[in-house]
Amino acid sequence: MRIFKQWVLAIALYLALVMEGTLSVYLQPALTYQHGRAGFLLLPIAVLIIAYEDERNEKEIWLALAAGVVADLYFWGIIGIYTFILPALSAFGRWYARVFPELFVFRLLGNIVAITVSCLYTWLVFRLIGWTDLTLKAIGFSLLYTAGWTTGISLATYWLWAKLARSYPFLVDLDNYRY
Amino acid sequence: MKNFFQNRKMLAAFGTVAVLAALLGSTVMLRNNLSAPLLIQRLGNDIVSVGSRIVSVPVSWFTDGIDSVKDLQNAADENSHLKKKVDELAQVEARNAALEKENKQLKAAAGIKKTLTGYTTTTASVISRSSDSWSEVLTIDKGKSSGLKKDMAVMSGGGVIGRILEVDAATSKVELITTTDSSANRFAAQATTDTDKVLHGIISVQSNGTLTFTQASSSSKLKKGTKVYTSGLGGTSPKGLLIGTVAETTKDSFGLSDLITIKPAGNLSDASVVTVVKRSVAG
């Protein structure tokens, strides 16, 4: 049970990865607008919130890296998108939590900025490998729409991820710190 | 230069970018060239797909429930429309059976065993979709164990929506026809003009995701509403799968050749069940 508690966050991230793909199928009509689509980025938002709430746990960057490799292979069959984004978001989240006030509004702003930058990185990689030929100007509305969805997902899931990160930090046995 | 090598942060950043570029380059090359993914990738994909299958069951129940309520609201109109169609159906079925029998007899007389129009189908559920805004990749719950192979055509909602990109043991990835990936395989297509002339070409995609019929083999005009089918050329998809209808014909940005825009027949935005088409004649 003690070992299981240390891995709860990893299992939760696996479920977030599964839910991200599944909900992207069923929410597709709502995610799509006339000339584009919003990203449904459940996993990156989860990694960010975990990093805010458990900013002293350096092991979480390895969890983010592992989740990134699995997600990359599952969604796209290449390595280099989430493999970079998730550890970078984990590092950013830990820095952000130390520098900015512990207020939900600041965390929400952090999520929107970090996810927008992540989307720009994804677009840049896709441009480099020839998967898209959209210009930076053409993706503007898509980024805005994704920011809207990011706000919604953050509002809906912040409490859950915060609770998990505080109660079950990755590879930390909290029983050692009790009494 | 000496300062650069003494700055550990700069070195780490440079190393990260180099490793990332190498990983990206090598995995993109493997994805495009390998007929089947590496064992480690297949294993990872199958582990995640187990979770996806479990989660997609209750989620689909929920969304199907919502769809059922919507369908109920349209039931009366749909019922009267279907009644008219049912009246015509018996006649179409009888004619179809007669033509099929005649076709078989003619093929036997000519000594033809298999043609480009012959195919079998496998139905699969969509269990996942890439979550970003720009790639067009679906994951379906059938794979190598169901006889699926790379590049097979995939249909949904009455038209072609894409082709198989990668086959794992129990799942496969489908690349949608609207992908702007410059390395993606394209469908060879054909359409018939008013003067019964058959135009051959390929299906391409504009940067805004619009489908176009390009490299048409003749300068004959295609009217709005003309149906565009797969031609069976190219070796992987059978002949006669509906891709879409001609929406409009304009000139390309250089004003030299026709740009024929296609309205896709398949359900690209809300495909939860798909049909994989296996061609009878080997490519």
Side-chain angles (χ1 to χ4, degrees), chain B residues 124-143:
Chain B
S125 296
V126 179
I127 54 170
S128 185
R129 186 171 183 140
S130 55
S131 52
D132 66 280
S133 308
W134 305 291
S135 65
E136 303 273 9
V137 182
L138 307 176
T139 307
I140 58 171
D141 67 347
K142 295 276 167 65

Side-chain angles (χ1 to χ4, degrees), chain A residues 69-91:
Chain A
V69 173
V70 174
D72 268 356
L73 292 175
Y74 183 63
F75 285 134
W76 301 284
I78 62 167
I79 296 177
I81 300 169
Y82 273 3
T83 305
F84 174 73
I85 288 175
L86 296 189
L89 287 179
S90 184

Side-chain angles (χ1 to χ4, degrees), chain B residues 47-269:
Chain B
I47 290 169
V48 182
S49 70
V50 170
S52 293
R53 280 160 188 257
I54 296 166
V55 168
S56 66
V57 171
V59 175
S60 69
W61 283 344
F62 180 71
T63 53
D64 288 351
I66 293 171
D67 288 344
S68 301
V69 174
K70 280 183 192 167
D71 289 346
L72 267 177
Q73 290 168 340
N74 303 326
D77 290 341
E78 211 170 67
N79 194 27
S80 60
H81 175 74
L82 288 174
K83 269 181 182 168
K84 284 178 199 161
K85 288 281 174 193
V86 167
D87 290 341
E88 295 163 15
L89 190 63
Q91 177 57 32
V92 172
E93 270 183 351
R95 184 172 161 72
N96 196 16
L99 286 172
E100 209 170 302
K101 195 177 171 187
E102 190 182 69
N103 193 13
K104 262 185 191 169
Q105 285 168 347
L106 288 171
K107 275 183 182 174
I112 301 166
K113 284 181 182 166
K114 284 176 180 175
T115 61
L116 286 175
T117 50
Y119 60 83
T120 55
T121 59
T122 301
T123 307
S125 296
V126 179
I127 54 170
S128 185
R129 186 171 183 140
S130 55
S131 52
D132 66 280
S133 308
W134 305 291
S135 65
E136 303 273 9
V137 182
L138 307 176
T139 307
I140 58 171
D141 67 347
K142 295 276 167 65
K144 205 175 178 183
S145 55
S146 303
L148 304 198
K149 283 181 186 160
K150 194 177 176 178
D151 282 334
M152 282 178 171
V154 179
M155 298 183 75
S156 177
V160 175
I161 62 159
R163 64 168 81 238
I164 301 277
L165 175 72
E166 182 187 298
V167 184
D168 299 307
T171 58
S172 301
K173 285 194 182 78
V174 176
E175 189 170 46
L176 294 183
I177 198 168
T178 45
T179 181
T180 47
D181 182 355
S182 54
S183 63
N185 286 332
R186 298 293 172 196
F187 281 96
Q190 67 176 49
T192 309
T193 63
D194 283 350
T195 52
D196 275 346
K197 206 172 181 183
V198 178
L199 257 71
H200 285 271
I202 59 164
I203 299 297
S204 304
V205 183
Q206 300 296 297
S207 57
N208 60 1
T210 312
L211 287 187
T212 52
F213 184 53
T214 54
Q215 298 178 24
S217 56
S218 163
S219 58
S220 301
K221 296 282 179 201
L222 287 175
K223 276 175 73 176
K224 189 179 174 184
T226 306
K227 287 180 175 165
V228 179
Y229 298 93
T230 53
S231 65
L233 303 176
T236 48
S237 55
K239 186 179 178 178
L241 304 179
L242 181 63
I243 295 171
T245 50
V246 172
E248 66 171 339
T249 305
T250 51
K251 288 283 177 195
D252 67 4
S253 54
F254 301 105
L256 296 173
S257 58
D258 285 340
L259 190 71
I260 305 163
T261 310
I262 308 286
K263 186 186 170 197
N267 185 357
L268 288 155
S269 64

Side-chain angles (χ1 to χ4, degrees), chain A residues 18-163:
Chain A
V18 167
M19 290 296 285
E20 181 173 309
T22 306
L23 291 178
S24 292
V25 176
Y26 292 100
L27 293 175
Q28 202 55 217
L31 290 167
T32 310
Y33 61 93
Q34 200 181 0
H35 292 298
R37 198 170 71 229
F40 186 77
L41 305 168
L42 198 61
L43 188 61
I45 292 169
V47 169
L48 261 174
I49 299 170
I50 290 167
Y52 294 148
E53 295 295 326
D54 190 21
E55 82 275 14
R56 289 174 191 279
N57 187 356
E58 289 185 357
K59 289 167 189 161
E60 268 155 15
I61 205 157
W62 298 109
L63 178 65
L65 181 68
V69 173
V70 174
D72 268 356
L73 292 175
Y74 183 63
F75 285 134
W76 301 284
I78 62 167
I79 296 177
I81 300 169
Y82 273 3
T83 305
F84 174 73
I85 288 175
L86 296 189
L89 287 179
S90 184
F92 168 79
R94 286 192 295 128
W95 169 81
Y96 191 85
R98 286 197 293 265
V99 172
F100 288 91
E102 198 178 336
L103 288 171
F104 180 73
V105 179
F106 278 91
R107 301 272 162 100
L108 186 63
L109 273 173
N111 276 7
I112 292 169
V113 171
I115 295 296
T116 305
V117 174
S118 303
C119 288
L120 280 169
Y121 168 78
T122 308
W123 167 79
L124 187 68
V125 170
F126 285 177
R127 282 280 297 192
L128 286 172
I129 61 178
W131 284 12
T132 187
D133 51 6
L134 288 171
T135 59
L136 190 58
K137 197 179 162 189
I139 65 164
F141 195 76
S142 170
L143 290 176
L144 271 176
Y145 200 33
T146 304
W149 272 92
T150 301
T151 307
I153 297 169
S154 302
L155 288 169
T157 62
Y158 195 97
W159 178 85
L160 175 73
W161 290 112
K163 176 90 180 156

